Amino acid sequence: MMNETTMNQSAKNTQVNAVQNDSRWAKIQARDISADGTFYYSVSTTGIYCKPSCGARQPRPEHVAFYASCAEAELAGFRACKRCKPGQPDLAQSHALLIAESCRLIESSDENLNLEVLAEKSGLSLYHFHRIFKSVTGLTPKAYSAANRAKKVRDVLGKNISVTDAIFEAGYNANSRFYEKSTQVLGMTPTSYKTGGANVTIKFAIGECSLGEVLVASSERGVCAIFLGDDATQLVNDLQDAFPRAELIGADRDYEALVAKVVCFVEMPALGLGLPLDIKGTAFQQRVWQALQKIPAGLTVSYSDIAERIGAPKSVRAVASACAANTLAVAIPCHRVVRIDGSLSGYRWGVERKCALLDLEKKS
Ligand SMILES: [Zn+2]
């Protein structure tokens, strides 16, 4: 190990330059927490080694050396700093471990664990648990359990048992909003809207996902509406507005399989929906909607990208209108279209939902 007294001036300058030109030096000066774990540095005058974020007095560059691991620093004869404790897992890592445990707990539980129980088991306050869970998983604990239940429904549905059993097995119990809302809404049906227009029959049902209520409706030709919202009754009204002359029929139990599928799809968009879609609209809208379906989950494009792709580069505004006219939330992924500067702009079902969907897609 070299020290100041034995190092001649030119060797010292070389050492100073080497350290100052190293990108890691800037991270030490910035006490960059995000660099913790990526390298360690030693200080020859004190004989200790630190994490980049260490709050201790900053060393002079001529006293610094870098290491990829604690073991390397120790091999070079340095001791771990008592202040930043480089040998111990940092807060972010221990949070990740804690949250991973909570996730396993949610996955293995048959019932819905409430936030209080989860927070208590993790030894964190309610507020911190919620915040840390979200920062580690990208989802709130509630959304995570919903996604997990949706996955269970899908797994069980794959085994060909009845939808109702599947939903119960997945932890949607008789008191859950899934049933409450659907019977409440189904109780209003069958209903004919606007006399004389009864040649189209539309079945629908309502489910619940992490984004709120989901209404799924289909004609004989396929799924014709997927609406998102907070209020089931409002969604049914929207359906009525979208198809004023159709006969709307609250769906039977079989139809709930479809809702379960859509809920899964909303929670885990990368899986793909795989349902026939009944896409109505002008020829232009259909071209836009087809282009939207080709955007893979997890990616976003701009309105002008879509305009280019359908060979109408000047029709950016019309593309935006076609996105807004989309009745098949998520299935026709208009949420993947953002402004050219990357900002989210509008979404028929609310910008917050657009944001949540894009977050979900990044995670899955
Ligand atoms: Zn330190």
Side-chain angles (χ1 to χ4, degrees):
M1 192 194 336
M2 289 196 282
N3 67 48
E4 218 166 339
T5 51
T6 60
M7 212 191 283
N8 70 37
Q9 194 56 41
S10 94
K12 181 176 158 186
N13 287 345
T14 315
Q15 154 79 357
V16 169
N17 282 340
V19 169
Q20 285 177 335
N21 291 330
D22 194 306
S23 61
R24 292 173 288 190
W25 175 244
K27 289 175 178 161
I28 295 174
Q29 290 188 301
R31 297 194 161 109
D32 183 353
I33 285 186
S34 69
D36 283 357
T38 63
F39 72 94
Y40 302 87
Y41 71 92
S42 66
V43 183
S44 58
T45 46
T46 58
I48 62 162
Y49 69 95
C50 289
K51 298 198 286 196
S53 71
C54 184
R57 197 166 70 91
Q58 294 207 324
R60 296 168 62 88
E62 57 266 40
H63 301 146
V64 165
F66 302 109
Y67 306 93
S69 66
C70 296
E72 261 180 52
E74 284 178 19
L75 213 63
F78 294 94
R79 287 172 290 107
C81 167
K82 291 211 166 76
R83 180 157 179 176
C84 64
K85 302 189 175 77
Q88 290 176 15
D90 62 17
L91 205 57
Q93 274 174 302
S94 49
H95 281 165
L97 288 173
L98 264 184
I99 297 308
E101 265 175 48
S102 305
C103 290
R104 300 297 88 78
L105 211 61
I106 293 171
E107 286 155 18
S108 61
S109 172
D110 288 333
E111 58 201 78
N112 285 328
L113 295 171
N114 64 33
L115 205 55
E116 282 85 355
V117 172
L118 290 167
E120 203 192 311
K121 296 216 183 210
S122 71
L124 296 168
S125 75
L126 208 59
Y127 170 78
H128 276 106
F129 176 74
H130 193 269
R131 201 172 56 90
I132 292 165
F133 194 98
K134 179 118 197 265
S135 81
V136 171
T137 64
L139 293 172
T140 63
K142 189 182 167 204
Y144 187 87
S145 344
N148 186 59
R149 288 199 306 277
K151 181 178 178 298
K152 283 187 185 169
V153 172
R154 196 191 68 245
D155 291 349
V156 178
L157 281 176
K159 290 185 223 142
N160 260 340
I161 67 165
S162 88
V163 176
T164 315
D165 291 346
I167 288 167
F168 275 89
E169 270 193 28
Y172 288 105
N173 58 43
N175 297 323
S176 86
R177 292 176 71 218
F178 189 96
Y179 265 90
E180 224 171 70
K181 289 286 182 186
S182 47
T183 29
Q184 182 192 327
V185 174
L186 301 185
M188 300 170 13
T189 60
T191 311
S192 279
Y193 293 96
K194 304 224 173 172
T195 49
N199 45 4
V200 179
T201 303
I202 292 177
K203 277 187 177 183
F204 71 95
I206 306 246
E208 193 195 347
C209 70
S210 62
L211 302 174
E213 307 292 331
V214 194
L215 176 144
V216 183
S218 49
S219 68
E220 280 170 7
R221 295 170 56 199
V223 178
C224 61
I226 300 175
F227 291 166
L228 302 171
D230 294 320
D231 177 1
T233 313
Q234 183 59 47
L235 291 182
V236 178
N237 291 340
D238 291 346
L239 182 65
Q240 182 189 339
D241 291 344
F243 303 96
R245 299 176 64 213
E247 185 186 8
L248 303 185
I249 297 180
D252 46 41
R253 288 251 155 140
D254 283 346
Y255 195 78
E256 286 167 4
L258 195 69
V259 180
K261 213 165 172 181
V262 172
V263 169
C264 291
F265 178 62
V266 170
E267 308 292 358
M268 279 160 288
L271 298 173
L273 191 56
L275 297 169
L277 301 178
D278 178 5
I279 303 174
K280 294 193 171 68
T282 65
F284 182 83
Q285 285 173 333
Q286 292 203 21
R287 270 156 69 208
V288 172
W289 296 343
Q290 272 159 17
L292 294 178
Q293 287 181 279
K294 290 183 186 140
I295 313 169
L299 291 186
T300 55
V301 301
S302 69
Y303 293 101
S304 40
D305 286 335
I306 294 293
E308 299 244 335
R309 282 179 204 190
I310 62 168
K314 289 188 179 151
S315 311
V316 177
R317 207 174 270 264
V319 166
S321 313
C323 289
N326 174 24
T327 56
L328 289 160
V330 192
I332 293 179
C334 56
H335 60 280
R336 292 179 198 145
V337 188
V338 299
R339 282 214 192 102
I340 211 151
D341 64 3
S343 67
L344 290 185
S345 73
Y347 187 50
R348 177 173 173 170
W349 294 283
V351 171
E352 259 177 45
R353 277 194 187 91
K354 185 174 189 172
C355 183
L357 270 168
L358 291 173
D359 276 352
L360 275 174
E361 296 191 345
K362 272 187 229 138
K363 292 279 154 190
S364 59

